[in-house]
Amino acid sequence: MEKRKFGTTAEKLSVVGFGGIVVTDETPEDAAKIVSKAIDRGINYFDVAPLYGNAQEILGPALQPYRKNVFLACKTLKRTKKDAQKDLEDSLKKLKTDYFDLYQFHSVTTIKEVEEIMGPGGAIEACEKAREKGMVKYIGFSAHSEEAAIKLIDSYEFSSILFPFNWASWLKNDFGPEVLKKAEEKGMAILALKAMAKRSLDKNEKPEWPKCWYSPIDEFEEASLALRFTLSLPVTAAIPPGYAEFLWWACDIADNFKPVTEQEIKSLKEKSLSLNTIAEVLESA
């Protein structure tokens, strides 16, 4: 699988990342098989978070045989130094590792959260301390609003951003281009969420894929176009929806990756116009 540079560092990540939610509620045996297959497919970038049920406890043992050869990212929803430090230490234990390659502030949405993270006694202090001790190699964040993402980029020398760079939101709502440009200017690694998302769920709609708060694309050719759109941007890697089926699709797509053409972008834009995009949900939150 193609690997791309992690920002300005010497690290190289597989263009498809393994979202830890894939192994949530799996048996240890099945999780070990899924992780082993992902390694065989060329994936070296794994991302997990406390929010994903029991994913940390399940992923840790499954990843142990490969830990030295993979790039492991984790996240925290905590915004204060004390709480983030506790979260970090707990995640290290559950994942059976003594360091994270990347530790991220998870799902930052508001300016108030940014100010809390970056202010006195904020979570950034816990991350910097952990980095000094060798418990964290790089510090990054994931964000679900452009406003929060841009504020964070301007506030600190983060190594990476994890953001919904999604075809429909980009082409219909112009959601993402400004964030990507800012991150690129700072030399950050640009990691993509929701590349294979199709639309937001309708009110009272029962999700067909319960681990997703949106409706993922469940047709291979359309999923291929969507992921190729995101991987044609200057991103390091993209994390597919949290099911093994989509992960293997993403591996197949990456193995045969070709940048999207202007005609394909035009076709995707036409499709996007009729969708309630995830950006419309995120921006109204």
Side-chain angles (χ1 to χ4, degrees):
M1 184 181 292
E2 179 190 354
K3 292 180 172 62
R4 297 181 182 176
K5 278 188 72 177
F6 181 75
T8 57
T9 76
E11 310 270 8
K12 286 195 170 182
L13 274 56
S14 53
V15 292
V16 172
F18 185 109
I21 200 168
V22 166
V23 297
T24 297
D25 297 330
E26 294 288 346
T27 65
E29 295 76 18
D30 286 344
K33 289 175 185 174
I34 293 168
V35 168
S36 176
K37 183 174 177 180
I39 296 287
D40 287 345
R41 293 299 305 261
I43 292 174
N44 72 342
Y45 164 39
F46 289 76
D47 179 279
V48 69
L51 183 65
Y52 305 154
N54 65 350
Q56 294 183 116
E57 294 94 324
I58 300 294
L59 183 62
L63 203 53
Q64 255 191 319
Y66 317 103
R67 178 64 188 97
K68 290 180 181 178
N69 299 314
V70 302
F71 186 99
L72 180 57
C74 195
K75 313 186 190 84
T76 181
L77 279 167
K78 306 303 183 184
R79 306 312 188 208
T80 67
K81 177 182 179 180
K82 183 180 177 181
D83 290 343
Q85 184 174 329
K86 186 174 182 297
D87 231 16
L88 170 62
E89 291 169 357
D90 184 57
S91 290
L92 287 169
K93 285 177 188 171
K94 287 177 177 174
L95 283 152
K96 299 188 179 301
T97 185
D98 55 6
Y99 74 99
F100 289 122
D101 296 280
L102 173 64
Y103 200 64
Q104 305 153 104
F105 304 118
H106 193 174
S107 190
V108 186
T109 304
T110 67
I111 295 301
K112 184 180 177 183
E113 287 178 280
V114 175
E115 291 170 347
E116 190 173 9
I117 289 166
M118 303 307 300
I124 188 66
E125 294 180 9
C127 289
E128 288 181 329
K129 185 178 178 183
R131 186 171 58 187
E132 287 168 12
K133 291 183 173 182
M135 298 158 70
V136 166
K137 229 172 159 182
Y138 305 108
I139 302 171
F141 68 87
S142 75
H144 282 152
S145 82
E146 290 189 306
E147 182 183 45
I150 289 167
K151 181 73 172 174
L152 280 166
I153 291 169
D154 287 340
S155 299
Y156 191 79
E157 294 300 314
F158 287 101
S159 295
S160 66
I161 176 174
L162 181 60
F163 192 82
F165 294 112
N166 163 263
W167 64 283
S169 297
W170 182 289
L171 295 170
K172 182 184 179 185
N173 309 108
D174 201 33
F175 181 82
E178 186 181 357
V179 172
L180 185 138
K181 183 183 176 188
K182 276 260 186 187
E184 205 178 5
E185 286 170 355
K186 290 287 286 282
M188 296 169 69
I190 300 166
L191 307 169
L193 289 166
K194 313 296 186 289
M196 291 162 67
K198 184 166 187 173
R199 59 175 178 83
S200 61
L201 295 172
D202 296 328
K203 192 177 180 182
N204 301 322
E205 180 181 359
K206 187 177 179 181
E208 188 176 345
W209 302 90
K211 290 182 188 177
C212 301
W213 58 263
Y214 55 89
S215 178
I217 299 171
D218 54 10
E219 192 276 316
F220 180 80
E221 291 305 323
E222 193 174 345
S224 179
L225 266 181
L227 183 56
R228 285 176 51 228
F229 175 87
T230 297
L231 292 181
S232 296
L233 300 172
V235 304
T236 300
I239 299 174
Y243 289 87
E245 296 95 320
F246 295 121
L247 180 63
W248 310 140
W249 275 12
C251 290
D252 292 342
I253 294 160
D255 285 348
N256 298 284
F257 173 69
K258 290 179 183 175
V260 283
T261 65
E262 288 299 321
Q263 187 57 44
E264 286 172 329
I265 292 172
K266 185 179 177 184
S267 172
L268 284 169
K269 182 158 190 175
E270 288 170 3
K271 286 176 188 280
S272 74
L273 297 178
S274 63
L275 299 174
N276 293 319
T277 68
I278 58 169
E280 289 160 2
V281 171
L282 295 171
E283 289 182 319
S284 65

